[in-house]
Amino acid sequence: MTKYFNTEGSCKVTEHYMVKLDERLGKIKRVLVDRKKYFVINRGRQYGKTTTLQSLADYLSEDYFVFSLDFQKMPDEKFETGETFSRALISMMYDALQYEEGEEQEKVRAMLSEFTADNPEMGMDDLFRFLSDMCRKNPRPIVLMIDEVDSAGNNEVFVKFLAQLRAYYLERDRVPTFHSVILAGVYSIKNLKLKLRPESEHQYNSPWNIAADFDIDMSFSAQQIAGMLAEYEADYHTGMDIQAVSEEIYAYTSGYPVLASMICKRIDERIMGSDGFEDAKKAWSKAGIEEAVTIILKESNLLFESMVKQLDIYEELYKMIEDIIYCGRRIPFSMEAKPINLGVMFGFLKEENGRVMIANRLFEMCLLNLFMAKEAIRSEIYTKGEGDRSQFIRNGRLDMDAVIGKFVEHFSDIWSKNDEQFVEKYGRKFFLLYLKPIINGTGNYYIEAETRDLRRTDVIVDYLGEQFIVEMKIWHGNEYNERGEQQLTDYLDYYHKDKGYMLSFNFNKNKTVGVNEIKIGNKTIVEAVV
């Protein structure tokens, strides 16, 4: 069977091109399972949790007897009482061994069947006495793994199940119990408890405070992506620069597993051989990755849909992300702040240098598109951009000089009378709204995270393989402006560009509105003042 890049469900090393997990699995076994830890693999959607659990079950099988369960398979009605839950859990454990061969597996299956037959009205206490007895009799330590624990999140019976696991864990020196318990899901167990308790109670009293920290990095490094691509290259001989391609994929995804695979899948299945990418080497290049990103952002996918859904539910999270993207707010990172905690849990946010950051460039581009779509409905400047679009595209190229000049004209007409506070907050948003319909469907832009702050934001515009660097800044005097010009030239060096653009929002009453071109060394800067 020919391997392929998989973005649906778990990945299998025999069927899919995937990052090798041996190092990760070895660390989980050594640091957590071997030390009898109970823990939660808590990551955003499509972050490789199921693939990791399934691979871990195989990896542990030589030393441990593993039950690998999935609570998605347990119907809601089974969580109604302790009895229905207990019977369903035993049935699920039996089914998990259905295709397992061996004397040990056969004995455990027999124990499960006998217990079910002898206890037609079993309760949670009966269940745990049996599980303890099973752990005592089995020759190897038993590891319990449960995927998709979110499915049980709104059920008090499940919380009681966790409490029983905790009670046996605390007495395990004298009462046999599971060697290790591993739960996986998006929501942390603390948040599962939060959803069940009324506002008046202490919401963070978790029945799972015995859990060890799971701080193992599950994202892909550029080097790991390169390993996955090397396997593909060995099969297809495209001639790609594996290291350069892997680093560019990482730049867009920050190693978010499904996003990295998504880019590779689009290149392999839709871009390679298409118009302009007939040469496989060109498809597996920076231009091919940009095209893949354009396709991904145009399509609907479960990960982006989930992100939008959560932002609709959590208004504080939405507002915080909007302020980060549009206004350059630098928010100190603290997991005690609820919107930050939620954003990290869902995989949208991360910590970098002590402040909150959007988790990756693709998420940020998706969020920008979302905000733009909502703003465009009532935005005068977006309408101007739509109307002006045709005059900026010449022979398939984007005339950024003309874009900047026309924006200055519109801004002066529409917003020149607004106060400084208004423009500081919304000025950069207006430029992005103007630019969006001009490049829409053909190009993309993203905000360079390292330069985003209250004073300065750099936007990278990609249009049919050509890049434009636009610095948007709030005017803070000539000295600051000159420093900004030098920063922009340094940035142009990094991108190997000779020309850049600076858009200054200036509140000086004696300012001169307009566009002029300046030379700094061998660099050309088109500087616009509004």
Side-chain angles (χ1 to χ4, degrees):
M1 178 181 176
T2 304
K3 285 188 176 183
Y4 61 94
F5 294 103
N6 181 44
T7 58
E8 306 88 29
S10 62
C11 294
K12 298 177 175 61
V13 69
T14 55
E15 299 178 16
H16 308 124
Y17 294 111
M18 58 181 289
V19 164
K20 296 192 183 326
L21 300 178
D22 294 26
E23 184 178 347
R24 180 189 305 173
L25 301 177
K27 187 173 182 181
I28 293 173
K29 180 179 183 295
R30 183 179 70 258
V31 174
L32 294 165
V33 178
D34 287 349
R35 296 177 183 177
K36 304 181 181 180
K37 301 296 184 181
Y38 286 26
F39 59 96
V40 181
I41 300 178
N42 173 216
R43 293 292 186 275
R45 299 215 175 275
Q46 295 184 283
Y47 215 103
K49 299 183 295 295
T50 299
T51 296
T52 297
L53 280 186
Q54 291 180 350
S55 301
L56 183 62
D58 292 338
Y59 192 85
L60 296 175
S61 61
E62 186 173 333
D63 297 322
Y64 299 99
F65 190 96
V66 180
F67 280 105
S68 183
L69 312 181
D70 183 345
F71 268 9
Q72 278 192 131
K73 298 177 182 177
M74 188 177 285
D76 289 345
E77 60 268 20
K78 300 300 183 183
F79 290 97
E80 291 180 359
T81 67
E83 180 182 342
T84 56
F85 174 81
S86 298
R87 295 187 68 83
L89 185 71
I90 292 295
S91 177
M92 188 175 284
M93 293 174 75
Y94 184 91
D95 290 344
L97 301 179
Q98 187 173 358
Y99 302 107
E100 297 285 337
E101 296 181 356
E103 183 178 346
E104 189 179 14
Q105 285 77 6
E106 186 59 39
K107 286 182 178 179
V108 173
R109 277 199 295 266
M111 289 179 67
L112 291 164
S113 296
E114 184 179 343
F115 174 68
T116 303
D118 292 346
N119 294 271
E121 297 181 358
M122 73 178 78
M124 192 88 69
D125 289 345
D126 300 314
L127 170 69
F128 272 86
R129 279 193 291 269
F130 164 73
L131 294 176
S132 178
D133 190 48
M134 180 180 67
C135 291
R136 178 179 62 82
K137 291 178 178 178
N138 203 65
R140 290 190 299 163
I142 298 178
V143 174
L144 175 65
M145 298 167 47
I146 305 177
D147 197 7
E148 298 291 348
V149 292
D150 297 10
S151 303
N154 287 314
N155 298 285
E156 191 69 42
V157 168
F158 175 62
V159 175
K160 291 177 180 177
F161 172 70
L162 292 180
Q164 286 277 42
L165 283 173
R166 176 183 180 275
Y168 273 79
Y169 171 89
L170 294 174
E171 295 186 0
R172 61 183 177 170
D173 286 344
R174 64 183 189 84
V175 180
T177 189
F178 293 113
H179 177 88
S180 179
V181 175
I182 308 167
L183 309 179
V186 173
Y187 287 88
S188 70
I189 296 302
K190 183 169 69 173
N191 287 98
L192 291 178
K193 188 64 175 174
L194 174 66
K195 294 197 291 183
L196 289 165
R197 298 175 68 87
E199 291 295 329
S200 59
E201 296 187 42
H202 298 290
Q203 296 186 6
Y204 290 97
N205 290 338
S206 171
W208 203 241
N209 57 11
I210 56 170
D213 291 334
F214 182 82
D215 56 4
I216 293 171
D217 189 2
M218 289 178 63
S219 63
F220 296 164
S221 66
Q223 201 57 40
Q224 288 174 317
I225 295 171
M228 176 172 65
L229 292 177
E231 187 180 1
Y232 177 88
E233 182 65 9
D235 289 340
Y236 289 95
H237 310 288
T238 68
M240 77 169 87
D241 183 335
I242 292 175
Q243 196 59 39
V245 171
S246 64
E247 288 175 2
E248 188 68 12
I249 291 173
Y250 183 83
Y252 275 99
T253 65
S254 295
Y256 200 110
V258 74
L259 293 179
S261 295
M262 207 179 283
I263 290 175
C264 294
K265 185 179 180 71
R266 297 299 183 275
I267 295 174
D268 176 56
E269 297 181 6
R270 295 178 59 176
I271 295 173
M272 196 164 59
S274 66
D275 290 346
F277 295 97
E278 292 83 1
D279 180 5
K281 185 176 181 179
K282 185 175 181 182
W284 288 97
S285 69
K286 189 175 187 297
I289 293 168
E290 289 171 3
E291 181 66 17
V293 167
T294 298
I295 292 171
I296 290 167
L297 291 173
K298 285 181 181 179
E299 297 173 335
S300 176
N301 66 67
L302 293 175
L303 182 58
F304 290 169
E305 287 174 3
S306 174
M307 179 163 58
V308 172
K309 176 184 174 183
Q310 300 301 345
L311 292 179
D312 285 342
I313 294 172
Y314 299 102
E315 187 177 343
E316 284 183 277
L317 179 60
Y318 184 104
K319 184 67 171 64
M320 184 178 67
I321 290 176
E322 189 178 36
D323 282 350
I324 291 171
I325 291 178
Y326 277 149
C327 306
R329 279 192 63 196
R330 289 178 177 258
I331 300 173
F333 186 89
S334 171
M335 285 294 284
E336 303 310 311
K338 184 178 177 181
I340 296 174
N341 190 303
L342 288 169
V344 172
M345 183 175 69
F346 293 138
F348 312 156
L349 302 177
K350 65 180 179 181
E351 182 274 337
E352 193 170 292
N353 298 323
R355 62 189 177 106
V356 181
M357 302 285 285
I358 309 301
N360 58 67
R361 187 187 295 172
L362 251 174
F363 276 175
E364 183 167 278
M365 294 169 80
C366 174
L367 290 164
L368 264 174
N369 285 346
L370 169 65
F371 297 151
M372 293 295 169
K374 291 188 174 184
E375 292 280 349
I377 297 171
R378 58 182 184 275
S379 172
E380 184 177 357
I381 196 65
Y382 185 90
T383 303
K384 295 285 188 184
E386 281 188 309
D388 294 343
R389 184 180 189 278
S390 60
Q391 61 185 284
F392 301 137
I393 310 301
R394 298 168 185 171
N395 300 318
R397 298 186 64 210
L398 176 64
D399 186 344
M400 184 58 77
D401 292 49
V403 172
I404 295 289
K406 199 67 175 177
F407 175 76
V408 171
E409 180 183 320
H410 289 313
F411 192 91
S412 299
D413 289 344
I414 300 171
W415 289 291
S416 59
K417 295 180 182 180
N418 278 297
D419 62 28
E420 179 175 334
Q421 186 177 10
F422 177 85
V423 176
E424 269 202 17
K425 186 171 183 180
Y426 297 111
R428 285 172 283 199
K429 180 197 290 191
F430 294 146
F431 178 70
L432 295 174
L433 277 165
Y434 183 67
L435 184 61
K436 179 65 178 175
I438 295 169
I439 65 171
N440 198 30
T442 305
N444 283 307
Y445 58 74
Y446 59 89
I447 297 172
E448 179 53 60
E450 292 181 3
T451 65
R452 182 202 293 111
D453 59 33
L454 291 171
R455 293 187 170 189
R456 174 185 173 214
T457 294
D458 287 331
V459 176
I460 316 299
V461 182
D462 289 317
Y463 192 88
L464 295 178
E466 189 173 8
Q467 282 190 321
F468 304 90
I469 316 298
V470 183
E471 178 180 316
M472 298 183 291
K473 66 184 184 63
I474 307 299
W475 181 273
H476 287 280
N478 286 323
E479 183 180 347
Y480 177 78
N481 190 59
E482 290 172 2
R483 199 159 61 243
E485 291 169 351
Q486 185 58 53
Q487 287 174 330
L488 180 55
T489 60
D490 293 343
Y491 208 42
L492 292 174
D493 277 337
Y494 176 79
Y495 274 89
H496 308 293
K497 298 292 178 185
D498 296 324
K499 188 176 187 178
Y501 300 84
M502 180 177 286
L503 178 59
S504 298
F505 296 92
N506 190 333
F507 309 113
N508 190 326
K509 292 182 179 180
N510 299 319
K511 69 185 176 185
T512 301
V513 173
V515 182
N516 65 310
E517 194 173 280
I518 61 174
K519 287 279 189 179
I520 299 180
N522 64 343
K523 305 296 183 186
T524 300
I525 295 179
V526 176
E527 188 164 13
V529 177
V530 294

